[in-house]
Amino acid sequence: MRTRSHFLLMAVSATIVALPAHAQQAAKPADTEVWAPVPRVVTPGATDREAPSDAIRLFDGKNLDEWVMTKDKSPARWKVGDGVITVDKSVGNIETKRRFTNYQLHLEWRVPSNITGTDQARGNSGVFLASTGDGDDGYELQILDSYVNKTYVNGQAGAIYKQSIPLANASRKPGEWQSYDIVWTAPTFAADGSVKTPAFVTAFHNGVLVQSHYALTGETRYIGTPEYKKYDTAPIKLQSHGDKSEPISFRNIWVRPL
Ligand code: MG
């Protein structure tokens, strides 16, 4: 039996070895050319600050029509003037009316030049990549003055708060505009709430890679370890942090759902 199997195996192997010569002769370059579907044409902005043609503008300098208060979904009440939004810490977080799954997001933020405070109490805000509740629930990419400001490194600008230290500190001085460009891949869940695939984030701070396809371990937790909770689609939320420092501003916010 053993000998016969061995003989058969050798015969099959010989056939396989003999085949590629014929197959290679028959193969053509066109065999591996893919012609459809044709990717949609999107005109890039003149600079990386400008929204591409298919972006949804979440703030274009004029009003907060795309935003509501996180707490009660009433119209957003942060201050708009001179083409920028400034956080009003007396009223709380704001979030988009629209809900998202996977997306590319651009936003610009500025810590005021007269900023005071230290550590986490110096220009603290944040962008929650998916807002999953009425407070600070969700997944926070930290905003903070980290130009010269010592704090825990998984809480500095560019950190996935208390989860992932940024790959670089690309912070600009207070008073200067800074940008985030973010790719968010939402987590997926089974019907019973268990995680099928984690959330992933890639982020650039002022054009510098600070998060590279980082797999999140759950929602941001101020105390304790991150934990997932099932959600489908979610708004994007901006944080009104309770620190006593001067409020930061935002401008030029746009998103491309993927
Ligand atoms: Mg924060």
Side-chain angles (χ1 to χ4, degrees), residues 124-126 140 142-143 239 241:
N124 197 329
S125 181
E140 184 185 8
Q142 176 69 313
I143 291 176
Q239 188 182 42
H241 191 273

Side-chain angles (χ1 to χ4, degrees), residues 78-149:
W78 288 6
K79 293 157 190 160
V80 177
D82 295 329
V84 310
I85 307 171
T86 299
V87 179
D88 182 344
K89 295 190 188 189
S90 69
V91 298
N93 297 341
I94 67 169
E95 65 187 28
T96 57
K97 288 179 184 170
R98 296 174 197 258
R99 304 175 72 86
F100 302 95
T101 308
N102 306 323
Y103 59 79
Q104 173 188 354
L105 174 69
H106 174 92
L107 63 90
E108 295 170 27
W109 51 277
R110 181 184 62 191
V111 173
S113 56
N114 64 340
I115 192 75
T116 58
T118 57
D119 195 354
Q120 290 289 303
R122 188 176 169 88
N124 197 329
S125 181
V127 49
F128 287 85
L129 305 169
S131 173
T132 59
D134 292 345
D136 279 351
D137 305 45
Y139 306 83
E140 184 185 8
L141 174 63
Q142 176 69 313
I143 291 176
L144 189 74
D145 174 26
S146 290
Y147 187 66
V148 181
N149 178 29

